[in-house]
């Protein structure tokens, strides 16, 4: 049996894992509230689209001896994967933050990738080859240049997600679900893991190496799928330590009377906004929103939450819990999930965690 049979089989394994990823990623969300899907699974549609792109590699699966199909296959990974990774990082981590500010950059990057890959895709899929040896050699330079650009795009995305991770440690969110910090810490390193798998076959021009990489990338797809399978993996902010809390209280105790007066005034402004205008019903309410609306210094706002309300999250979630109880009393036929969403929680599990924390106090 020809060795090319095994090359095609390895490629088929990779493409099949991509299809499996698409099917499972799409349908495992069916039990969730329809109006909350974009929040709970922010990158679901985009991930399905990205992984379905592996279908373009079918010419190599069918005929690994075809040179046009081989050119497409070895070019695909360095030309597209950095773009895919950067795009998914920005979409997933930025959904409840500033994803809109990155849409233009992402569209520009997408256009570059499409323009670069269109020629080898058409050359492999059309019944005739229109690229000669000189054209293929020239296109290798184009793909290398484009891959370096996409590496820069991916690094930009990694830097932005790292910035968001650092911000998440600042108790900025009323709902811990608003930023999946633990998950973000894991996926931010994926580009480093992928790099050794993208380039060897392209540089060495080796089908044998590509077959090995197909197996490894297929296994990677399955492992990644397992990490995104849990429906409610958006959980848990990084908690502050007891030592940090003690230091904060000691620092607060040293504040003078003037600062105490400013804090008291700040508390009045906060209550007027959060309670008076029912801002706590916004599931994505952040400290920054309070600062912006009240036009107060962030230092005093953060200090006020610590000294007057224990913490931002406990204060806001306390109001939400009260609202939840009243909502259930007024709407006895509503589901618990609906009551949680109407009370400012991102889902019923967020309500349950907040209720459990309050019960322990």
């Amino acid at each position: 049996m020809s060795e090319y049979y095994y090359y095609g089989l390895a490629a088929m394994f990779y493409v099949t894992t991509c299809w499996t990823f698409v099917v499972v990623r799409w349908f495992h969300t069916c039990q969730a509230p329809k109006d909350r899907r974009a929040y709970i699974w922010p990158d679901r549609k985009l991930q399905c689209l990205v992984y379905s792109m592996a279908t373009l590699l079918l010419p190599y699966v069918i005929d690994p001896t075809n040179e046009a199909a081989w050119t497409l296959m070895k070019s695909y990974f360095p030309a597209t994967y950095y773009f895919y990774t950067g795009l998914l990082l920005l979409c997933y981590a930025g959904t409840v933050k500033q994803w809109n500010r990155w849409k233009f950059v992402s569209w520009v990057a997408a256009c570059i990738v499409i323009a670069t890959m269109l020629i080898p895709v058409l050359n492999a899929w059309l019944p005739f080859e229109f690229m000669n040896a000189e054209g293929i050699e020239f296109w290798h330079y184009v793909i290398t240049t484009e891959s370096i650009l996409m590496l820069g795009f991916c690094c930009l995305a990694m830097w932005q997600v790292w910035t968001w991770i650092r911000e998440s440690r600042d108790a900025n969110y009323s709902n811990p679900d608003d930023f999946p910090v633990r998950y973000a810490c894991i996926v931010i390193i994926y580009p480093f893991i992928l790099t050794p798998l993208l380039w060897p076959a392209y540089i060495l021009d080796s089908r044998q190496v590509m077959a090995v990489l197909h197996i490894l990338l297929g296994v990677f797809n399955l492992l990644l799928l397992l990490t995104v399978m849990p429906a409610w993996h958006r959980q848990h902010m990084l908690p502050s330590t007891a030592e940090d809390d003690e230091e904060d209280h000691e620092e607060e105790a040293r504040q003078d009377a003037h600062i105490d007066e400013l804090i008291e005034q700040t508390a009045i402004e906060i209550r007027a906004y959060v309670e008076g205008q029912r801002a706590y019903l916004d599931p994505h309410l952040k400290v920054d929103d309070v600062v912006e609306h009240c036009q107060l210094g962030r230092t005093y706002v953060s200090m006020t939450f610590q000294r007057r309300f224990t913490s931002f999250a406990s204060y806001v979630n306390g109001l939400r819990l009260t609202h939840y109880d009243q909502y259930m009393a007024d709407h006895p036929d509503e589901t618990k999930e609906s009551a949680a969403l109407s009370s400012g929680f991102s889902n019923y599990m967020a309500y349950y965690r907040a209720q459990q924390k309050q019960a322990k106090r």
Side-chain angles (χ1 to χ4, degrees), residues 322-338:
T322 301
H323 188 276
Y324 176 92
D325 293 337
Q326 186 61 49
Y327 187 91
M328 288 297 290
D330 296 339
H331 306 83
D333 296 331
E334 290 288 336
T335 64
K336 293 181 178 180
E337 179 73 20
S338 176

Side-chain angles (χ1 to χ4, degrees), residues 62-102:
I62 298 170
D63 184 10
T65 64
N66 184 278
E67 286 300 321
W70 168 238
T71 299
L72 169 61
M73 174 59 77
K74 70 178 181 179
S75 304
Y76 178 80
F77 295 108
T80 63
Y81 256 53
Y82 287 122
F83 167 70
Y84 291 162
T85 306
L87 185 66
L88 292 173
L89 282 174
L90 289 174
C91 177
Y92 185 88
T95 298
V96 293
K97 296 180 69 64
Q98 301 93 9
W99 163 236
N100 287 333
R101 63 180 280 203
W102 293 106

